[in-house]
Amino acid sequence: MSIFFFVPNDSFLHRRDPRVKIAGLIFLCILAMIEHSLYGQGLMAASLLVLFGCSRTGASLKKMARLFILIGTMTFVLWVLFYQGKTRWMLWGILPVYVGAISHAGVMSLRFLNMLLSGLLFLSITAIEDFYGGMVVLGVPYPFAFAMSLSFRLVMVFMSNAFAIVEAQKVRGNDIGQGNIFHRIKAYAPLIAPLILTGVKKAETLTLALESKGFSPQNKIDLSGKYNFGAADSLCLCAMLLVGVTAVWLR
Amino acid sequence: MKEIFTVWKHTRQIVIVALTAAIYAGMLIPFKAIPIIPGMTELRPGNAIPVFFGILFGPAAAWGSAIGNLIADFFGTLSLGSIAGFVGNFLQSYISYKLWRILVKDAVVMNLRQTGIFVLISVISGFVCALTIASGVQFLGLMPFRVLFPIIFINDALMASILGVILMKLLYHRIERTGLLYIPE
């Protein structure tokens, strides 16, 4: 079972070149940032939900729905309380609420949600291997892309180790849910220490394993043949450009 | 500053970057957080890693902490704010390494003086990390600075100060014996 959000489908969005997907993610985040109207942010959220539907990745959305609703609500409440306008509207406890706070909070919470939705859509349609491949083809230095890729692979191992350690410590009576904050923080040490030691031991063997297989940071890797930038990918980039220009013009 | 980039020229350093990232991300997710304000503020034990690993592994740990935080964001919370998280975590770890090198010249024994220095470093690096992330997120218009800054600062400083000191006492010499500690060229 994968702990990541990638949903292996054969949709139009799934088939796109990883470079287009990365560009799309950046484009959507920038679009969310430059859009200042409630309608614009609402339209973007609706469009993103349509894209989730088209790529048949609603399962990822379902997994994160509760967290996103919580984040959206908290962002809204915080911006209502901390927005500083010119005219005071009302007093909420000791905090003054200014005129325009509600619409400002609406835009801000939708902006945050749109960025999170864009990120989730990207994760749902892009396999980790393609993300790594996309970075390399886009010119990200190979050692950096390799370290990212290796980390993604190792995180699964460490997470399963971490779960095993938590269970083992629970059996020994180390309950991290008991006591005050300081006591609970201290209770984490016996959980974290074995995990760190396992990782450090791995460092030496992993270095030898990589070097014995001919790995060198100076290696050049050519993945250009793996990904074909097709007409549909160009079309997607043109669509992004068009939407971007329209959004700027409408501002 | 040069050492930040020479990390990428050595296989062992790249492995340490990847391991730091994997341990950090692997710790942020499965260990249950301690809620302070449910749904809003929580203490994450993984926050001790950037400071602790920064002192042990230097610039490689700084890159690893930055990448680890980014990977944790890949579990559903990826946004432009992740860039601020990347920079903030990098600085937290790198500043910890730099300050420790400047302030601790003798053997690491974690006596009262060194413990005090460690706590001071945790607070300073937590402050810089919180300042970077909260400013970045406020600039992007995602969350108010006044709310996010204290949450991140308390989270980072408290976790690193308490858990980090325990980890230093428990693990520093064991890891030192593996010969993996960072020695500046």
Side-chain angles (χ1 to χ4, degrees):
Chain A
M1 192 191 79
S2 174
I3 50 169
F4 296 105
F5 287 92
F6 178 61
V7 182
N9 280 334
D10 189 33
S11 72
F12 177 79
L13 291 181
H14 279 83
R15 287 193 299 273
R16 296 294 50 86
D17 187 284
R19 284 166 286 190
V20 175
K21 291 177 187 175
I22 294 172
L25 172 66
I26 296 167
F27 165 75
L28 286 170
C29 285
I30 292 173
L31 192 65
M33 239 190 92
I34 61 168
E35 183 54 57
H36 291 298
S37 76
L38 201 56
Y39 301 111
Q41 293 288 354
L43 185 67
M44 189 178 167
S47 311
L48 281 164
L49 293 178
V50 170
L51 289 177
F52 272 100
C54 293
S55 57
R56 300 192 300 281
T57 50
S60 302
L61 199 57
K62 211 173 154 188
K63 262 193 228 171
M64 296 303 289
R66 277 183 68 181
L67 179 67
F68 282 7
I69 291 169
L70 188 68
I71 290 174
T73 312
M74 284 309 299
T75 312
F76 183 82
V77 171
L78 289 173
W79 276 113
V80 167
L81 295 176
F82 288 91
Y83 173 75
Q84 284 185 316
K86 283 176 186 157
T87 320
R88 188 181 285 189
W89 177 42
M90 58 180 274
L91 208 64
W92 189 356
I94 52 160
L95 291 166
V97 178
Y98 292 88
V99 172
I102 301 286
S103 61
H104 181 78
V107 172
M108 292 303 177
S109 57
L110 272 176
R111 173 184 288 178
F112 201 171
L113 283 178
N114 281 335
M115 281 199 195
L116 292 174
L117 285 172
S118 308
L120 188 63
L121 180 68
F122 173 79
L123 299 174
S124 306
I125 59 168
T126 315
I128 295 301
E129 294 75 23
D130 287 337
F131 175 59
Y132 159 69
M135 280 199 300
V136 172
V137 179
L138 276 173
V140 172
Y142 171 60
F144 184 85
F146 176 81
M148 280 282 288
S149 164
L150 187 61
S151 311
F152 271 115
R153 280 164 223 280
L154 288 172
V155 80
M156 292 280 285
V157 178
F158 284 115
M159 275 182 68
S160 60
N161 282 352
F163 280 122
I165 292 165
V166 169
E167 288 306 312
Q169 288 291 331
K170 253 188 208 168
V171 172
R172 287 171 176 82
N174 179 17
D175 190 358
I176 47 173
Q178 297 291 316
N180 61 30
I181 281 184
F182 297 102
H183 179 85
R184 288 160 79 176
I185 294 172
K186 275 185 190 171
Y188 275 102
L191 305 178
I192 291 173
L195 191 71
I196 292 173
L197 284 178
T198 319
V200 170
K201 276 181 198 162
K202 235 183 201 40
E204 199 51 38
T205 49
L206 202 57
T207 307
L208 286 173
L210 285 171
E211 284 176 347
S212 67
K213 288 190 170 85
F215 172 83
S216 163
Q218 282 75 39
N219 284 353
K220 295 273 179 251
I221 182 163
D222 184 20
L223 291 176
S224 52
K226 192 179 171 188
Y227 301 108
N228 295 314
F229 197 91
D233 295 310
S234 308
L235 196 73
C236 284
L237 286 182
C238 290
M240 280 186 240
L241 190 70
L242 194 69
V243 172
V245 170
T246 312
V248 171
W249 182 65
L250 285 175
R251 279 181 80 202
Chain B
M1 289 298 273
K2 206 178 130 193
E3 62 195 352
I4 293 174
F5 300 103
T6 49
V7 162
W8 299 107
K9 289 181 181 161
H10 306 285
T11 306
R12 183 186 276 192
Q13 293 295 307
I14 292 171
V15 167
I16 289 174
V17 170
L19 280 169
T20 306
I23 291 174
Y24 188 30
M27 215 175 265
L28 287 178
I29 303 142
F31 288 124
K32 216 171 77 183
I34 303 166
I36 299 172
I37 304 167
M40 193 180 150
T41 319
E42 54 190 20
L43 289 175
R44 302 187 301 177
N47 286 5
I49 293 295
V51 178
F52 176 58
F53 273 25
I55 289 170
L56 293 176
F57 304 127
W63 285 108
S65 303
I67 294 173
N69 188 70
L70 184 66
I71 290 174
D73 283 349
F74 268 72
F75 289 86
T77 51
L78 188 68
S79 73
L80 271 190
S82 303
I83 299 171
F86 186 94
V87 179
N89 277 273
F90 180 91
L91 289 176
Q92 187 186 11
S93 196
Y94 189 68
I95 286 170
S96 304
Y97 149 72
K98 274 290 186 195
L99 287 177
W100 184 261
R101 292 274 157 179
I102 293 166
L103 297 172
V104 178
K105 299 280 182 202
D106 38 359
V108 177
V109 285
M110 288 311 281
N111 53 16
L112 202 62
R113 183 180 168 270
Q114 289 185 354
T115 304
I117 290 172
F118 189 94
V119 172
L120 179 72
I121 288 172
S122 303
V123 173
I124 294 170
S125 62
F127 181 87
V128 174
C129 178
L131 194 69
T132 310
I133 297 177
S135 310
V137 171
Q138 157 98 14
F139 171 75
L140 295 168
L142 303 178
M143 277 267 185
F145 178 89
R146 281 183 293 169
V147 176
L148 204 58
F149 175 77
I151 293 174
I152 301 173
F153 175 55
I154 293 169
N155 218 325
D156 285 350
L158 201 62
M159 267 299 168
S161 300
I162 300 171
L163 202 53
V165 169
I166 298 171
L167 291 175
M168 280 293 280
K169 285 183 178 170
L170 278 178
L171 300 178
Y172 184 87
H173 293 292
R174 282 198 195 186
I175 296 172
E176 190 181 28
R177 282 198 291 273
T178 62
L180 288 171
L181 292 195
Y182 180 72
I183 301 156
E185 285 170 8

